[in-house]
Amino acid sequence: MTIAMCAVMPEGVVFGADSTSSVFHDGSGFHYFNHNQKLFQVGENSTLGIVTWGLGGINDTSYRTLIAELDDDLRATPAASIREVAERWGVLLWARYTAALAVEIARIATLAAMGPYDPAAAPPAANARSEAEEKELAGLRQNLYVGFCIGGYVLPDRTPMAFQVNVFPEAPAAPVPTPVTINFWGAPNYILRLLNGWDNGLKDAIMGSGKWGGTEAELVQELNKSALNVGMSTLRDGIDFVYSSIHSTIKALKFSHLSQICGGPIELAVISTDRRFRWVRHKKWDSAITEGDIT
């Protein structure tokens, strides 16, 4: 799991992410690695950055490799805008994703074509999913999703921008990028509770309780009365905000009863309108070796 962030500001774009990745082992549950790379510069001496969450890789192909291939493509044929960069990333990724995960995608299609599992049905409908198949479908849908945020600027236009690229296994075609200003992905619940006083889980629980008589939009309007109005004027403020949000999420999970799905070194990068990609905090290659060392 991940806590990833992007903040687009007048002076540039700030990216941030934790470093924990989770691997599920049958019989023993999840195993966590705390030095994964989720934030990348696109090429070298670049004005582009990308952060990812969700599926950690496409079988034996890493996102590091695919991002390098994107850079090769951009060097051969420069893009005219950030949107075009995001679109080309989506096309490249979609081709690899659908080829490498063809068996899993076909399995999802087979299960989705069946009727839903109904525990009250006796006997169950002829084409209904079993309880095990229902869980399998939910797991495949969740575990095969991956998201990216790619941002920066493309010369000669120095306007900072960022776009989100979501890849779903049941999508009919390559993803269409959507613009981003400030957003959180992966495990955003804790920072949303801190900033807004609520998250979607609380909203859904209230709506499903039968005790709220208004519409969902009216409920959101009431809940938002407790929200903090976040204001950032400089890139340094943005860096502080991104770091604090990720750090707060990691600590909230650490001291909760939940699995610590976020953690490890926090990485931060900035692309200012007058400079190229720069690391603010970046773990060294020996970070896993020196973990816990006192220097």
Side-chain angles (χ1 to χ4, degrees):
M1 187 57 80
T2 299
I3 176 64
M5 284 191 64
C6 176
V8 179
M9 306 175 64
E11 290 187 324
V13 182
V14 181
F15 296 96
D18 74 320
S19 296
T20 294
S21 62
S22 54
V23 178
F24 184 78
H25 295 281
D26 288 337
S28 60
F30 282 101
H31 188 80
Y32 299 99
F33 296 91
N34 287 329
H35 298 272
N36 192 27
Q37 192 67 37
K38 304 177 184 179
L39 175 55
F40 300 88
Q41 179 179 188
V42 181
E44 296 182 273
N45 196 30
S46 170
T47 60
L48 301 170
I50 188 167
V51 66
T52 182
W53 60 95
L55 181 66
I58 302 175
N59 288 350
D60 294 332
T61 302
S62 72
Y63 297 135
R64 186 188 298 275
T65 301
L66 293 178
I67 292 167
E69 292 181 11
L70 173 65
D71 178 58
D72 293 339
D73 179 51
L74 293 172
R75 289 178 184 275
T77 309
S81 66
I82 291 290
R83 180 182 289 275
E84 182 186 337
V85 173
E87 290 171 345
R88 286 163 65 173
W89 170 245
V91 170
L92 169 65
L93 184 71
W94 183 248
R96 296 297 187 87
Y97 179 92
T98 52
L101 300 174
V103 173
E104 292 85 349
I105 292 172
R107 178 60 176 165
I108 289 176
T110 298
L111 292 171
M114 301 167 66
Y117 167 67
D118 182 359
N127 193 39
R129 291 186 290 270
S130 66
E131 182 177 6
E133 289 171 332
E134 193 74 29
K135 291 179 179 178
E136 180 187 1
L137 178 59
L140 286 169
R141 283 171 167 167
Q142 177 179 342
N143 295 331
L144 294 185
Y145 162 76
V146 61
F148 299 86
C149 179
I150 187 165
Y153 62 87
V154 172
L155 291 172
D157 184 2
R158 291 184 178 270
T159 304
M161 296 182 184
F163 288 85
Q164 181 174 343
V165 178
N166 291 314
V167 180
F168 296 96
E170 294 174 276
V176 177
T178 56
V180 169
T181 51
I182 298 176
N183 214 337
F184 317 87
W185 300 280
N189 305 60
Y190 308 99
I191 191 61
L192 290 176
R193 292 175 190 174
L194 178 63
L195 296 177
N196 298 336
W198 62 279
D199 63 5
N200 286 332
L202 176 61
K203 180 198 69 177
D204 293 342
I206 294 173
M207 289 298 299
S209 69
K211 297 181 180 180
W212 172 256
T215 66
E216 182 173 329
E218 289 170 337
L219 174 59
V220 170
Q221 185 177 15
E222 289 299 315
L223 291 172
N224 278 338
K225 290 179 180 179
S226 63
L228 302 176
N229 293 319
V230 176
M232 294 173 286
S233 58
T234 70
L235 272 179
R236 288 181 175 83
D237 291 327
I239 291 168
D240 185 15
F241 175 67
V242 170
Y243 174 81
S244 298
S245 299
I246 296 172
H247 182 72
S248 297
T249 299
I250 291 172
K251 293 301 183 182
L253 284 167
K254 176 181 178 180
F255 296 113
S256 76
H257 65 286
L258 303 172
S259 296
Q260 198 166 350
I261 56 174
C262 301
I266 297 172
E267 294 207 300
L268 302 166
V270 63
I271 302 171
S272 59
T273 53
D274 63 337
R275 302 285 183 89
R276 296 176 181 269
F277 183 103
R278 286 176 286 176
W279 288 105
V280 178
R281 298 189 64 164
H282 186 35
K283 54 184 175 284
K284 296 181 179 180
W285 284 106
D286 65 350
S287 65
I289 298 173
T290 60
E291 184 175 39
D293 284 1
I294 298 175
T295 58

